[in-house]
Amino acid sequence: MPKGEKYSYLKNKHLVKRCLSYFGPYKFKVFVSFVSMAVVAAATAATAYLIQPAMDDIFINKDREALMLVPIAFVMVMLIKGLFRFLQSYLMNSVGLLVLEQLRNDLFSKIICLPMDFFEESQVGMLMSRILNDVIEIRASLPSFIMMIREICTIICLIGLVFYRDAYLAFFAVLVLPLAIFPFFYFGKKLRKLGRKNQSKISDINAMLQESFSGVKVIKAFANEKHETDKFAIENNRLVSIAIKSVLNSELSSRIMEIVGAFGIGLVLWYGGSQVIDGHSTPGTFFSFIAALVMLYEPIKKINTSNHTIQRALAGAERVFEILDSPGINAEQGGEVELDPNFKKLEIKNVTFSYSSSEKPVLNNINLVVETGQKVAIVGPSGSGKTTLVNLIPRFYDAAQGDIVLNGKSVHEYSLNSLRLNIGMVSQETFLFNASVRDNISYVTLGSDLENVQECAKTAFAHEFVEKLPEGYETLVGERGVRLSGGQKQRLTIARALFKNPSLLILDEATSALDTEAERIVQMALENLMKDRTSIVIAHRLSTVLSADMIVVMEKGEIVSKGTHKELLKKCPLYTKLYNMQFQDNS
């Protein structure tokens, strides 16, 4: 076996094994489905068998006893076939839906626990497509596999019947079967490849739609609806082109099999008809043979259809298990130590960090110590690495070199839950879920007492406007809080941080996107939030951090100076420049 084919075989074997593993918990239902499948196959052959006594005994010999028994036998066979076919279809489809549920749960639970850099490299629409579309294809894999086995059993039963009726004639009939199998493999490979392309293109379109709808305000602001429509039309056309090629190959496969079958049946009609005319066979035997032969080619076509479905399922499985099983895609791992809620000390030691997409380090040899109760401000030009630095503390990213020590232990030693639950973050980019105000504030402990939620809202100066909402604290805020103003959203995120009650607080330019009035209210809320807490504040407006215990000045990923406001004005030219620029802007 060539190396490429061997790899493909092993890959297919792994994919089939992984798909079937999800059907393991439903072994009994699958077993009953297999038994039902065997009964359906036998009943199909029995239907063809009954044609001989119907023709010979009823229509030619005019046997009245046969007139009573054969119809009853036919009805009984069809009842049995219908009952067990229903049982098989119902069981396999219900199992398929349960597998679909489990696969989606596993895929979502894996993706949601992946590190931040995975999400930066992946499009949201693509991930949605993996969970919604690719998984659906896998759901159909076992029902189609069962159907394929059922039709194979049916073929075996019908071949047995045609050989029983006339072995010589049967030999000529099945002589063309190998030709009918050829399209099964030839077109199967093509459909697998097209299925892979189809899933990939659906993923691309999902990503495009998600991006377009999320950025609809920008699209409208630049009057660029026509460009986006044209871009979508191009991608949609590519998807349809792939689908048309799939239809073409599917139909060619089916039609070729039909033509091959027609040659076999034509040969039988010629030879079998001459046998009846010469008196070597009865019409009943011949028509029973023909019926079995016609029924024989139908399962072959169904096997072909099932193979198409299985190929699409394997294409979807490649994309799903690429995430579930890939050794290079691993969930975040924390330590086993539980972080003491009482903050003592934070030490950043010789930390260097680079994003996977960047050539140069974003942070270079950073050293910083934050003592309990301190308010530490980080300032510097845009792109100096301020946000990246604070994102390393809750381990949204991990440093390439150096270490971050919290309360005497490396942050890697703490469990991720305890580490992140004891660090509060309020950023410039506010995010609210499409849930009630109450659920957004109490997100850390959903369903909490309303009184506690209201207390946090009051401290964040949010209670007054929340009370005026149509349903108060039960009002849905819309996707990303679209029904609220910027200042209102920010106050709710502050209330959410208050409800979390962390000992270490990180504020990342929390007021930079607000107007003057909203900033004043939010700044008051932030002061309440920082009260009696150790705080690290990234500030664009220096006026908000002049009273900080220590101001850290960063430039190009390095700390260039530290000190109080007065000290920095004397010793740090960059800080003086930033201060003078803002002072002049405000004058």
Side-chain angles (χ1 to χ4, degrees):
M1 184 183 291
K3 187 176 180 181
E5 290 185 14
K6 184 177 181 181
Y7 171 76
S8 179
Y9 168 77
L10 293 174
K11 186 177 182 181
N12 288 346
K13 186 178 179 181
H14 169 73
L15 289 173
V16 170
K17 189 176 180 181
R18 286 293 283 123
C19 289
L20 293 179
S21 69
Y22 274 84
F23 293 87
Y26 313 103
K27 291 178 182 176
F28 178 72
K29 289 184 177 181
V30 173
F31 172 75
V32 173
S33 187
F34 266 98
V35 172
S36 302
M37 168 199 70
V39 174
V40 170
T44 302
T47 305
Y49 178 85
L50 287 172
I51 291 176
Q52 187 266 331
M55 287 291 296
D56 290 344
D57 296 341
I58 297 175
F59 295 105
I60 295 175
N61 298 330
K62 299 179 181 179
D63 186 337
R64 289 192 174 275
E65 185 178 355
L67 182 62
M68 293 292 293
L69 295 176
V70 172
I72 291 173
F74 180 77
V75 171
M76 292 299 295
V77 167
M78 294 306 293
L79 281 173
I80 291 170
K81 182 179 179 181
L83 174 64
F84 282 93
R85 188 156 193 166
F86 162 78
L87 193 61
Q88 181 221 317
S89 296
Y90 171 74
L91 287 175
M92 287 319 305
N93 280 293
S94 61
V95 167
L97 289 168
L98 292 170
V99 167
L100 176 68
E101 177 188 28
Q102 188 59 48
L103 262 171
R104 281 181 174 157
N105 287 342
D106 288 354
L107 197 55
F108 181 82
S109 63
K110 173 71 181 283
I111 291 174
I112 204 70
C113 293
L114 293 175
M116 288 297 297
D117 54 5
F118 172 84
F119 291 95
E120 289 182 350
E121 295 171 2
S122 305
Q123 293 176 302
V124 173
M126 179 274 288
L127 299 177
M128 290 166 58
S129 182
R130 297 279 173 107
I131 295 173
L132 296 175
N133 298 320
D134 296 344
V135 170
I136 288 177
E137 298 294 349
I138 297 175
R139 172 214 159 185
S141 61
L142 188 61
S144 294
F145 181 68
I146 295 290
M147 181 183 290
M148 186 180 288
I149 295 175
R150 183 188 74 198
E151 300 307 332
I152 290 172
C153 291
T154 301
I155 289 171
I156 293 170
C157 292
L158 289 171
I159 287 177
L161 177 61
V162 297
F163 272 93
Y164 170 75
R165 288 299 187 202
D166 191 326
Y168 188 71
L169 191 60
F171 173 76
F172 287 103
V174 300
L175 198 62
V176 296
L177 275 181
L179 293 175
I181 295 172
F182 166 73
F184 179 85
F185 294 103
Y186 177 75
F187 289 101
K189 288 182 178 179
K190 287 195 170 186
L191 287 165
R192 169 80 169 277
K193 186 177 180 181
L194 288 168
R196 195 181 297 121
K197 286 183 177 179
N198 184 70
Q199 295 302 108
S200 178
K201 187 52 62 180
I202 288 174
S203 175
D204 291 342
I205 288 180
N206 271 347
M208 180 183 292
L209 289 172
Q210 193 274 336
E211 186 177 63
S212 296
F213 293 150
S214 297
V216 69
K217 187 180 288 186
V218 176
I219 293 171
K220 290 184 178 296
F222 286 86
N224 228 352
E225 291 92 341
K226 180 66 168 59
H227 169 72
E228 294 297 326
T229 300
D230 291 343
K231 191 165 71 171
F232 176 80
I234 291 169
E235 292 300 315
N236 196 28
N237 177 258
R238 288 172 181 166
L239 177 64
V240 171
S241 297
I242 294 169
I244 289 173
K245 288 180 182 177
S246 296
V247 171
L248 175 64
N249 281 276
S250 177
E251 288 302 310
L252 279 175
S253 175
S254 298
R255 299 300 77 80
I256 289 172
M257 293 180 77
E258 284 181 353
I259 292 169
V260 171
F263 274 107
I265 292 173
L267 187 62
V268 168
L269 281 171
W270 172 78
Y271 179 78
S274 64
Q275 290 290 91
V276 173
I277 291 171
D278 294 339
H280 299 305
S281 180
T282 66
T285 301
F286 176 71
F287 281 107
S288 175
F289 185 95
I290 285 292
L293 195 60
V294 171
M295 290 181 180
L296 181 62
Y297 285 106
E298 190 62 31
I300 293 174
K301 287 196 294 182
K302 288 183 178 178
I303 288 174
N304 189 45
T305 302
S306 296
N307 182 50
H308 297 172
T309 304
I310 289 172
Q311 294 304 322
R312 288 198 303 269
L314 290 174
E318 286 178 2
R319 291 162 56 80
V320 169
F321 293 116
E322 179 186 0
I323 291 179
L324 286 178
D325 296 345
S326 174
I329 303 177
N330 298 308
E332 296 175 295
Q333 297 294 323
E336 297 181 357
V337 179
E338 294 297 307
L339 175 61
D340 185 349
N342 298 312
F343 176 86
K344 298 179 178 66
K345 189 176 185 180
L346 172 69
E347 299 170 86
I348 300 174
K349 300 179 177 181
N350 306 313
V351 165
T352 297
F353 174 80
S354 298
Y355 290 108
S356 57
S357 58
S358 60
E359 297 179 0
K360 297 181 180 179
V362 180
L363 298 174
N364 188 22
N365 196 34
I366 299 293
N367 287 277
L368 181 65
V369 177
V370 179
E371 302 285 353
T372 182
Q374 273 191 324
K375 177 181 177 181
V376 176
I378 304 177
V379 301
S382 178
S384 57
K386 305 184 295 294
T387 298
T388 299
L389 176 59
V390 296
N391 281 334
L392 296 179
I393 300 171
R395 288 195 60 204
F396 292 153
Y397 304 94
D398 286 326
Q401 298 175 25
D403 197 8
I404 297 178
V405 178
L406 183 58
N407 289 358
K409 294 183 183 293
S410 170
V411 288
H412 292 87
E413 295 183 41
Y414 296 116
S415 68
L416 290 175
N417 279 356
S418 68
L419 175 66
R420 291 171 180 173
L421 285 174
N422 286 290
I423 297 174
M425 297 193 75
V426 179
S427 67
Q428 173 185 343
E429 297 178 4
T430 58
F431 184 92
L432 297 176
F433 294 94
N434 186 21
S436 66
V437 172
R438 176 180 179 174
D439 285 345
N440 270 288
I441 293 175
S442 63
Y443 185 67
V444 69
T445 313
L446 291 174
S448 298
D449 184 56
L450 180 60
E451 188 176 335
N452 293 335
V453 173
Q454 290 176 330
E455 190 63 35
C456 292
K458 289 175 182 176
T459 308
F461 296 97
H463 178 72
E464 185 177 348
F465 83 80
V466 172
E467 286 283 276
K468 294 177 181 178
L469 294 174
E471 297 177 51
Y473 282 86
E474 302 304 321
T475 302
L476 295 177
V477 300
E479 187 176 358
R480 293 177 175 267
V482 69
R483 297 173 187 169
L484 304 175
S485 70
Q488 289 173 334
K489 287 190 287 186
Q490 193 64 289
R491 279 179 274 170
L492 288 186
T493 62
I494 293 169
R496 183 166 62 191
L498 281 163
F499 194 90
K500 190 180 184 182
N501 195 27
S503 56
L504 174 62
L505 185 65
I506 297 172
L507 305 179
D508 185 359
E509 300 193 17
T511 63
S512 62
L514 304 176
D515 58 50
T516 305
E517 184 178 355
E519 180 188 1
R520 183 181 59 81
I521 299 173
V522 169
Q523 192 60 47
M524 290 164 54
L526 289 172
E527 291 297 333
N528 285 342
L529 177 61
M530 289 186 287
K531 188 177 181 181
D532 301 324
R533 286 186 175 87
T534 304
S535 305
I536 299 174
V537 183
I538 296 175
H540 174 71
R541 295 185 176 98
L542 298 185
S543 58
T544 61
V545 295
L546 296 182
S547 60
D549 299 301
M550 177 172 60
I551 299 175
V552 179
V553 184
M554 293 186 66
E555 185 180 27
K556 296 180 180 179
E558 297 182 351
I559 294 177
V560 295
S561 190
K562 305 173 190 173
T564 63
H565 168 63
K566 291 182 178 179
E567 290 171 347
L568 290 172
L569 285 177
K570 295 177 181 178
K571 69 178 183 178
C572 181
L574 175 60
Y575 182 80
T576 304
K577 178 183 175 183
L578 292 172
Y579 179 76
N580 289 335
M581 285 173 60
Q582 290 193 20
F583 178 78
Q584 291 169 3
D585 289 342
N586 294 327
S587 61

